[in-house]
Amino acid sequence: MTECYYISQNELPAVLETVSGLMDVWVPLKTGTHKTAIEFAPFTPGCRPIFDRQSTSSPKSVLFPQSETLFKFRYLKDESDPTRQTVALTDLEEIRPALVFGLRPCDARGFLVFDKVFLDGIAKDPYYAKRREKTVLATLACKTPDSACFCSSVGSGPGDRQNSDLWIIPIDDGFVIEALTEKGREVLPRFGKPAGESQIKQAEKVQKHIDGLTVGKADLTGAGSEFTRRFTDTEFWRDQVSKCLSCGMCTFNCPTCYCFNITDDAHGLEGERLRSWDSCMFNHYTREASGHNPRPEKYERFRNRVGHKFSYFPERYDGMMACCGCGRCIRNCPVSMDIRQIVRSLKENADV
């Protein structure tokens, strides 16, 4: 391990408060009326970040807000020709640097999917790109996977450092933090002091233990051909998704889902263009202006979701899965839908 710092649990709040004066700091916090959900929210003095279990929702909203203004517009009358109008657009708002502290390896892997779609295509999304450039991902090595997690089943693991800028390893009384990228090296000196030999040895022991964990019982990679063979088996898909409510919870909490809608909110001659999360599980998502809907039934929408994550995306992006195995779609589903079971069924009954 190189460039490692150590910070005690007691010192961490004060450091995060100091850093929050320089950039936006997002940490997992209990939210809502009953404080039962955990989501990434701005750090404030006195708040108590939750690091001992996974957040209810992923931190994707930091880089991809649930609703954001893309630009504002104003129609201007042409005084020389009253029949004509022009449109004035505002520039992009300045985006502050940000630190996401305490996300899990599956969350960091989720941003790899976003990077492929929003940065590596023919056109780069300027809104996501600006946030991505200015955001430091400080990932917590995952010691506490639960029964819904399956990151190892999709080619990752609780010790996966891919796409992280800082790597946080919890030890007895604090954290050893290692810089993995240049962005991470710029921030690292603000976290405590260089780690001592005993602290590094503790961290290496924890890392070795985490690297040895297998989270998830089945291999869910390489299901593309089985999905294709099952695509027209209507009875199979209806049976698999019969209890689904189409509530969209799985997509909103998923670190890799990025469906969105674009709307204009105008009042008089002024307005703003908004981008808001949408869900492929909603009936209206694919409904066209003519009224035709190419995926009117629930099984068709769920089949598309499975196909996107385990067949279409890997086929387009060199085998990369659009699922990070975080388990949020399983853990938080009101009727206990389990995407692992559906993909296993694809593979187990591929020749049926």
Side-chain angles (χ1 to χ4, degrees), residues 59-70:
K60 70 178 178 182
S61 59
V62 177
L63 299 181
F64 185 66
Q66 188 162 2
S67 182
E68 64 176 323
T69 299
L70 301 181

Side-chain angles (χ1 to χ4, degrees), residues 272-326:
E272 56 186 6
R273 179 154 296 179
L274 305 171
R275 174 162 64 183
S276 306
W277 290 1
D278 206 338
S279 170
C280 62
M281 296 304 298
F282 294 160
N283 176 274
H284 62 256
Y285 179 71
T286 50
R287 189 165 60 215
E288 300 166 1
S290 65
H292 171 67
N293 192 338
R295 291 198 289 268
E297 292 200 41
K298 179 174 62 178
Y299 85 86
E300 294 170 306
R301 298 190 292 274
F302 205 102
R303 181 182 62 188
N304 178 72
R305 181 165 178 267
V306 173
H308 171 71
K309 294 184 177 302
F310 294 91
S311 179
Y312 310 146
F313 201 94
E315 183 177 343
R316 181 168 183 176
Y317 294 108
D318 300 323
M320 182 178 179
M321 309 276 288
C323 173
C324 59
C326 70

Side-chain angles (χ1 to χ4, degrees), residues 71-75 87-90 263-274:
F71 57 81
K72 296 182 179 180
F73 58 86
R74 178 180 176 82
Y75 292 104
V87 180
L89 305 178
T90 60
T263 55
D264 284 354
D265 185 14
H267 303 279
L269 296 177
E270 299 181 355
E272 56 186 6
R273 179 154 296 179
L274 305 171

